[in-house]
Amino acid sequence: MSKENLAILIVLLTEIFIGTATGVQRTILSVSSKKSLGEIGFLLPIVSFGFFKATFDLMAGFYANKRGRKSSLILGTLVYLFGSILLTVLPEPFNFLAGNMFIGAGEGLVFATSAIAIRDILGLERSSLSFGYIESACYFGYSIGAFIGGIIYNFVGFTASLFFIVISSVAGLIAALNSHETLKYTEAERQKYSMNMEKGKTIKMLLKNPSTLAALIAAHMTKVADTVVWGIVPLYMVRRKMEVYQAGFAQSILLVVWSATMPFWSLLSDRVGRRVI
């Protein structure tokens, strides 16, 4: 195996472990937090997770360019691990609220850095495929965590499912520590293209361009739908007298289909264009 392929494999493995940890929450979070946060408040940890993930998604690009991809990946897994520990040691509902701030921040760093690292290796012409790989890996991890988390919650207990999140986070950190620095692969592109645009100009360019703005809106609507599935479906199924592990199975079906199809759509996007897709 070439060192480039090995570097990609380690990054994807890091993502799968971190995704598995988050996947557990996709099954148990709404069912567990409703008891302490109420009918509407149980969504707050998900909102907390999303807000901090989005914020650190954005910051990851700037940090990875300045400190390197490996450093950013390790930092993300460390922050995530800290959040998963808070989930296990703090009393409810503070564990869900505080834990998911750090879990969201850590996942944002890990997933954004993973996309950057793989794109470093695959290059500009396969940038969509790079994104497809990281989405596929993270949702494959989500599907594993959702399924296993539901089983553990049902047959071993709530505390055991939280410990599984910590174990998976530790595995993600170990993988990140063995990752390779990929910044060197972009040197040729840096010399060929202007890659030193200021932060403010980058954001303004994205928001003013109709194509990128449309893509951002479409992506946000997709994530809104995904969040509804995360927050509502497990609770709905439990109220319909189904078991938590069955809710986890339902989640895992959606997530594994997402994972399996993302590389296909992203590869097609690189070949036929973004607008068609």
Side-chain angles (χ1 to χ4, degrees):
M1 180 183 294
S2 69
K3 61 181 181 180
E4 288 82 10
N5 288 337
L6 180 60
I8 291 175
L9 184 62
I10 293 173
V11 168
L12 294 178
L13 193 61
T14 304
E15 262 206 286
I16 290 172
F17 284 131
I18 295 300
T20 298
T22 301
V24 175
Q25 288 206 85
R26 290 186 68 111
T27 295
I28 72 169
L29 180 58
S30 60
V31 176
S32 303
S33 62
K34 180 188 169 294
K35 299 173 185 177
S36 54
L37 290 171
E39 292 289 341
I40 302 298
F42 78 90
L43 291 171
L44 288 176
I46 300 176
V47 173
S48 171
F49 169 87
F51 176 81
F52 280 90
K53 180 179 177 180
T55 303
F56 281 83
D57 255 330
L58 182 62
M59 292 176 61
F62 303 122
Y63 183 85
N65 280 339
K66 188 173 183 179
R67 299 292 184 182
R69 301 358 180 180
K70 182 172 183 175
S71 175
S72 184
L73 201 62
I74 292 172
L75 177 63
T77 54
L78 282 170
V79 172
Y80 193 104
L81 176 59
F82 181 70
S84 67
I85 292 171
L86 291 182
L87 276 181
T88 62
V89 300
L90 291 180
E92 296 183 35
F94 303 108
N95 62 335
F96 295 119
L97 294 169
N100 275 291
M101 291 179 186
F102 290 94
I103 283 174
E107 184 171 303
L109 283 168
V110 169
F111 287 5
T113 304
S114 298
I116 296 167
I118 294 176
R119 187 237 171 262
D120 286 342
I121 296 172
L122 295 184
L124 183 64
E125 293 182 356
R126 293 185 289 176
S127 56
S128 183
L129 181 59
S130 303
F131 182 76
Y133 280 155
I134 71 107
E135 280 286 290
S136 179
C138 84
Y139 275 83
F140 180 64
Y142 284 168
S143 68
I144 295 172
F147 183 66
I148 295 177
I151 291 176
I152 293 174
Y153 183 96
N154 235 109
F155 300 107
V156 184
F158 171 66
T159 303
S161 62
L162 296 182
F163 276 117
F164 180 73
I165 293 174
V166 175
I167 292 169
S168 190
S169 303
V170 171
L173 174 59
I174 293 171
L177 289 169
N178 287 281
S179 64
H180 301 172
E181 182 54 63
T182 61
L183 186 59
K184 60 185 179 183
Y185 292 101
T186 63
E187 288 305 317
E189 287 184 0
R190 284 175 179 274
Q191 295 174 9
K192 186 176 181 181
Y193 304 106
S194 174
M195 302 183 71
N196 297 310
M197 190 177 293
E198 295 177 5
K199 300 175 187 178
K201 290 183 179 179
T202 304
I203 296 170
K204 286 180 181 178
M205 181 187 71
L206 290 173
L207 296 178
K208 286 184 177 181
N209 185 298
S211 296
T212 53
L213 182 60
L216 284 169
I217 293 171
H220 276 84
M221 291 303 99
T222 303
K223 288 298 182 182
V224 167
D226 187 40
T227 303
V228 170
V229 172
W230 177 359
I232 302 299
V233 168
L235 200 57
Y236 172 78
M237 292 182 69
V238 169
R239 285 181 172 178
R240 300 280 292 184
K241 308 303 181 185
M242 285 180 263
E243 299 289 343
V244 174
Y245 79 88
Q246 292 173 309
F249 181 61
Q251 287 270 19
S252 67
I253 292 173
L254 165 73
L255 298 166
V256 79
V257 171
W258 186 314
S259 170
T261 55
M262 274 300 299
F264 168 75
W265 291 116
S266 57
L267 179 61
L268 192 61
S269 175
D270 281 333
R271 292 181 175 177
V272 305
R274 320 310 190 198
R275 188 176 183 184
V276 173
I277 303 301

